[in-house]
Amino acid sequence: MNRFFLFLVVTAFATAAWRETTSAPGTMAALSKAAIDGAGQAVTLAIGLIGVMSLFLGLMRIAEAGGLLLIIARLLQPLMVRLFPDVPANHPAMGAMVMNFSANLLGLGNAATPFGIRAMEALERLNPHPGTATNAMAMFLALNTSGLTLLPTGVIALRASLGSSDPAAILPTTLIATTCATLTAGFAAWGLARFFPAGSRRTVVKPMDEAPSDVHGAAATQVLPPPPEATLDPQTQAALEETPSLPPYPLWATGLFFAGILALIPLSLAVGAALSAWLVPGLIVLFLLFGAVRRVPVYEQFVEGARDGFQVALRIIPYLVAILVAVAMLRASGALTGFVSLLAPITTPIGLPAEALPMALLRPFSGSGAYALMASILSDPATGPDTLVGWLVSTLQGSTETTFYVLAVYFGAVGVKRIRHTLAAALLADLAGIAAAVAAVHWLYPDV
């Protein structure tokens, strides 16, 4: 992200300098004004986002406190046993992976990260080749980076803050794209494993409290700072600390759960546009009723979640400033116009407008950077949240994950340096997610 940010700013400055001295005097003055305006726009955007972000995080806190995370975990467990045949059903790794996927389904990224790191530590105990990713690790991270999410609350909140007439209408397109990405990740991780052998067997089982080590026995160097601690309700925190072997629901219940998710796809294709206006008020009522049935103090939990939403909105201001300033400078210098006109003949025929291509390229590298870039695109009067480009970048942000960051954090946490086929499977999932997002947006909203 450092190089990407530097590249954007230097490119904008060089383009403006060339145009200033050759064909367009005044470009450099426009560049200066764009940089200042972009910084102010970032703060204004974040302030407008506070209320909507607080609303959605307040609702998610009610669901989390009511045990929805654990309910989904118990529904997922029968499938997990089949996806990870090398991991014993009662092993701590299985419980941590189940909780990680459950948090991702609900869009609770802060909760998913500590569960994921715990899962990698437990999987490392089963690793016969220290320093080399096992098939279970590759499958876990490929599925993790595919970004399977049912509720892209952050994207909906941003769209609402920017005046979208239907901010939740990206739910059907996101569901289609994220489902395709996840299926691709699973099949790719399974199919590629045979072409990337792990090597000679070395049976090493480490206790959970021992620091992970690399193949030479030295303490692993963490490649990134540890992620911030998530604020979890007591029930979920207990699940994290104990990594329980959760009693699964009957297999028929798991089948119904996934049948319901898959049924949402044709339902979205048939009546998604008509039902989208009902989604936000429907979600509010459903989460409140769920909390009430589970005897959750809904008002207190909502306030706690809303407080977190306030902090999240403030925390993203620096990222918004960086990206919005860089994009504003690119636009004022004329470099962005040139880039779009250069790529449009290539990407437009396949349904991907050149304006959305930077978002597709940045998403695997930086989640915060991609979110800020999406905000810049959606707030641009030339595009806006309810145009083809706006629908597409919103779907891309809600249906894919920050591939390289996830791999670096999770593998770095246990000292794995030889990742085998994990990256290939994850990138194939990213490509599938992008293709599915393009197809879904054009299919559901052909008249946009």
Side-chain angles (χ1 to χ4, degrees), residues 72 75-76 105 148-150 175-176 178-179 254-268:
I72 295 178
L75 288 169
L76 289 180
L105 279 172
L148 181 59
T149 303
L150 297 181
L175 181 62
I176 293 171
T178 193
T179 300
T254 300
L256 285 177
F257 175 70
F258 283 100
I261 293 178
L262 293 176
L264 289 176
I265 296 179
L267 181 65
S268 300

Side-chain angles (χ1 to χ4, degrees), residues 255-339:
L256 285 177
F257 175 70
F258 283 100
I261 293 178
L262 293 176
L264 289 176
I265 296 179
L267 181 65
S268 300
L269 295 176
V271 294
L275 291 180
S276 61
W278 294 68
L279 289 175
V280 171
L283 286 174
I284 293 174
V285 172
L286 285 175
F287 279 124
L288 290 176
L289 289 177
F290 174 80
V293 170
R294 302 285 290 186
R295 299 184 183 279
V296 172
V298 292
Y299 178 76
E300 287 84 352
Q301 289 296 327
F302 180 86
V303 170
E304 287 298 318
R307 183 179 291 113
D308 291 341
F310 183 85
Q311 296 298 326
V312 168
L314 293 181
R315 196 160 54 239
I316 66 173
I317 288 179
Y319 302 101
L320 288 173
V321 170
I323 294 299
L324 264 63
V325 166
V327 172
M329 292 176 67
L330 276 177
R331 188 177 292 116
S333 69
L336 187 60
T337 303
F339 178 74

Side-chain angles (χ1 to χ4, degrees), residues 141-234:
L141 289 189
L143 293 174
N144 203 293
T145 60
S146 68
L148 181 59
T149 303
L150 297 181
L151 296 174
T153 52
V155 180
I156 295 174
L158 178 62
R159 290 175 54 82
S161 70
L162 292 174
S164 171
S165 60
D166 198 355
I170 63 160
L171 281 177
T173 57
T174 298
L175 181 62
I176 293 171
T178 193
T179 300
C180 291
T182 300
L183 291 175
T184 301
F187 282 115
W190 172 77
L192 292 174
R194 68 192 68 182
F195 300 106
F196 294 84
S200 59
R201 184 178 182 85
R202 291 178 56 195
T203 302
V204 179
V205 178
K206 297 182 284 295
M208 288 296 291
D209 58 351
E210 181 181 330
S213 59
D214 59 18
V215 291
H216 303 294
T221 301
Q222 198 158 0
V223 297
L224 287 175
E229 290 296 326
T231 303
L232 307 177
D233 66 282

Side-chain angles (χ1 to χ4, degrees), residues 372-400:
L373 182 58
M374 176 188 64
S376 173
I377 294 172
L378 296 183
S379 60
D380 184 357
T383 52
D386 294 328
T387 62
L388 176 64
V389 175
W391 291 104
L392 188 52
V393 296
S394 300
T395 302
L396 289 174
Q397 177 69 21
S399 61
T400 56

Side-chain angles (χ1 to χ4, degrees), residues 64 67 70 90 157 381 412:
E64 188 180 342
L70 297 177
N90 60 348

